[in-house]
Amino acid sequence: MTSPRPGGLGNAHRLPEEYEQLRRTVEEFAHDLVAPKIGEFYENHEFPYEIVREMGRMGLFGLPFPEEYGGMGGDYFALCLVLEELARVDSSVAITLEAGVSLGAMPIFRFGTEEQKREWLPRMCAGEVLGAFGLTEPECGSDAGGTRTTARLDEATDEWVINGSKCFITNSGTDITALVTVTAVTGRKPDGRPEISAIIVPSGTPGFTVAAPYSKVGWNASDTRELSFADVRVPAANLVGEAGRGYAQFLRILDEGRIAIAALATGLAQGCVDQSVSYANTRKAFGKPIGANQAIQFKIADMEMRAHTSRLTWRDAASRLVAGEPFKKEAALAKLYSSEIAVTNAREATQVHGGYGFMNEYPVARFWRDSKILEIGEGTSEVQRMLIARELGVPSN
């Protein structure tokens, strides 16, 4: 695919034809296949296997990976375009794709051995199996350096022995989940700080327990679980990247993932606009459509302004990523702004809908429930502000 940012930001709002064709294809898929079915999955807290299989057939899980590993030969910008279009209709489906690619497959692609790539990526790119990334722990959220899960190398058997737990892990307990890449303390550095490594744990490994799904406020058609590891043994060859580099590796993965979450948040914000425009044109009060009232017009105009600006932030960050330019600050800016305006747009769209906005049969009720987690997952808003300040050179503790 041709980079959307060949010589700077330029006309980032004008997509090259291949990107625009992909966007239109996924827009049609989201409205024709996802929209009619997702409400039932959501209310029943069911994972949408049928939709995920179709996304796999479309090649969406393989978008940013090379063809030699079963991918589509695209890039991260293409993935983000897809996430925005999916989230305009439903965030559970969008986060399933985002986590499957950026958290499940990307660590193996970025840091795995050639053997690991060839073993896992083809099936992950096809959407036949899902991977998950086990980072967050019950007593370790934003402070990922405080990881307590341990992995000891048993030299007699050449195996890692893993003990600990993880929480809030997306895609970790579906019928098609094949692995979880787990961060664990594998030693101590000379200064006493933990040496953190990343290790692949295949599903079904003895001692690896996946809890029942959480009862969540939102994202109810996505899979989120707590994991526990009791003397779990996996081959030493399951180490992803270098021993002791797991912390640095996951920081890179999170930097990229923030752009993806920003695109998802933009989609939710735009979906709020879509639904509000439609409702304002059809809902009548006092003998005229409610959209004829300036108060409603101003709300929708402000919602569109926020969604449009949000789109520019993630496209800028994604363009820098695919161009090989520094993007850490831009990713944090995009994630911070997009997540916060998604919450605002969801609140305002609910207000436009009045009492109907509080009814789950209307998509904006789902958007409202789904929006808040965007300010928390993949780095809270507070963490993003810390990162931005640090990148600007502001002194820190």
Side-chain angles (χ1 to χ4, degrees):
M1 287 182 169
T2 303
S3 171
R5 188 174 179 270
L9 181 58
N11 293 322
H13 60 291
R14 295 181 184 174
L15 296 174
E17 180 54 33
E18 58 265 46
Y19 285 94
E20 178 58 25
Q21 183 177 349
L22 172 65
R23 190 201 65 77
R24 288 196 301 264
T25 297
V26 177
E27 179 185 35
E28 182 178 339
F29 165 76
H31 284 85
D32 292 351
L33 195 149
V34 178
K37 300 179 179 180
I38 195 60
E40 183 175 355
F41 285 116
Y42 194 94
E43 291 308 315
N44 292 331
H45 295 247
E46 294 179 3
F47 188 77
Y49 289 101
E50 175 187 346
I51 294 173
V52 171
R53 281 194 296 269
E54 185 59 32
M55 290 196 296
R57 285 191 286 266
M58 293 172 66
L60 302 188
F61 285 95
L63 266 176
F65 303 111
E67 294 179 8
E68 64 179 303
Y69 300 121
M72 298 294 288
D75 57 28
Y76 216 85
F77 192 99
L79 171 67
C80 290
L81 277 177
V82 169
L83 292 172
E84 179 180 336
E85 289 304 321
L86 290 174
R88 285 179 71 171
V89 171
D90 180 72
S91 292
S92 292
V93 171
I95 196 59
T96 297
L97 177 63
E98 190 277 335
V101 174
S102 70
L103 297 179
M106 195 60 74
I108 295 174
F109 174 66
R110 292 283 187 218
F111 310 110
T113 64
E114 189 64 24
E115 291 74 17
Q116 289 170 347
K117 293 176 186 178
R118 296 199 178 279
E119 177 180 2
W120 297 109
L121 289 181
R123 288 186 296 156
M124 297 173 87
C125 288
E128 296 173 1
V129 301
L130 294 174
F133 192 71
L135 172 66
T136 305
E137 299 186 0
E139 297 183 19
C140 166
S142 296
D143 179 20
T147 297
R148 296 189 177 185
T149 296
T150 63
R152 173 182 57 85
L153 185 61
D154 185 342
E155 295 182 357
T157 61
D158 202 29
E159 293 175 319
W160 292 106
V161 183
I162 305 171
N163 285 279
S165 62
K166 302 290 179 177
C167 61
F168 311 140
I169 309 304
T170 304
N171 290 347
S172 58
T174 74
D175 293 345
I176 57 174
T177 299
L179 65 91
V180 178
T181 302
V182 178
T183 54
V185 176
T186 52
R188 292 285 168 180
K189 298 180 180 180
D191 61 3
R193 290 182 301 161
E195 177 188 84
I196 298 175
S197 304
I199 302 169
I200 294 173
V201 180
S203 298
T205 302
F208 174 26
T209 303
V210 180
Y214 287 105
S215 176
K216 297 176 293 188
V217 172
W219 284 1
N220 287 333
S222 76
D223 179 78
T224 316
R225 315 259 184 153
E226 184 172 0
L227 312 176
S228 62
F229 307 87
D231 289 332
V232 173
R233 289 179 172 267
V234 298
N238 282 22
L239 178 72
V240 178
E242 301 177 30
R245 293 287 297 168
Y247 188 76
Q249 290 169 191
F250 98 78
L251 288 178
R252 164 71 191 217
I253 293 299
L254 288 184
D255 283 342
E256 296 179 0
R258 285 168 184 143
I259 305 175
I261 293 297
L264 190 157
T266 302
L268 186 150
Q270 190 65 57
C272 290
V273 177
D274 299 340
Q275 294 296 325
S276 295
V277 169
S278 175
Y279 189 79
N281 284 332
T282 56
R283 171 66 169 167
K284 292 185 176 180
F286 304 103
K288 61 181 180 180
I290 63 171
N293 297 306
Q294 196 173 68
I296 300 297
Q297 295 170 5
F298 283 10
K299 278 188 183 295
I300 294 176
D302 285 346
M303 290 162 61
E304 174 68 10
M305 174 186 66
R306 288 186 287 265
H308 179 80
T309 306
S310 178
R311 183 172 301 109
L312 294 178
T313 67
W314 82 248
R315 288 191 179 185
D316 176 39
S319 297
R320 291 173 186 272
L321 188 161
V322 300
E325 300 173 1
F327 66 91
K328 181 184 286 288
K329 181 185 72 174
E330 288 75 15
L333 286 167
K335 200 276 182 181
L336 174 61
Y337 182 77
S338 299
S339 62
E340 293 195 344
I341 69 100
V343 172
T344 300
N345 272 20
R347 183 182 66 248
E348 293 290 63
T350 303
Q351 194 71 15
V352 168
H353 281 68
Y356 289 108
F358 203 63
M359 301 296 112
N360 285 327
E361 64 187 277
Y362 282 79
V364 294
R366 193 166 70 242
F367 294 165
W368 189 33
R369 292 161 67 180
D370 290 341
S371 64
K372 181 57 189 176
I373 188 60
L374 297 171
E375 295 181 314
I376 299 171
E378 301 241 8
T380 64
S381 292
E382 291 76 14
V383 166
Q384 304 313 310
R385 287 182 165 89
M386 290 167 54
L387 290 171
I388 294 165
R390 186 180 303 161
E391 289 295 305
L392 290 172
V394 176
S396 58
N397 294 331

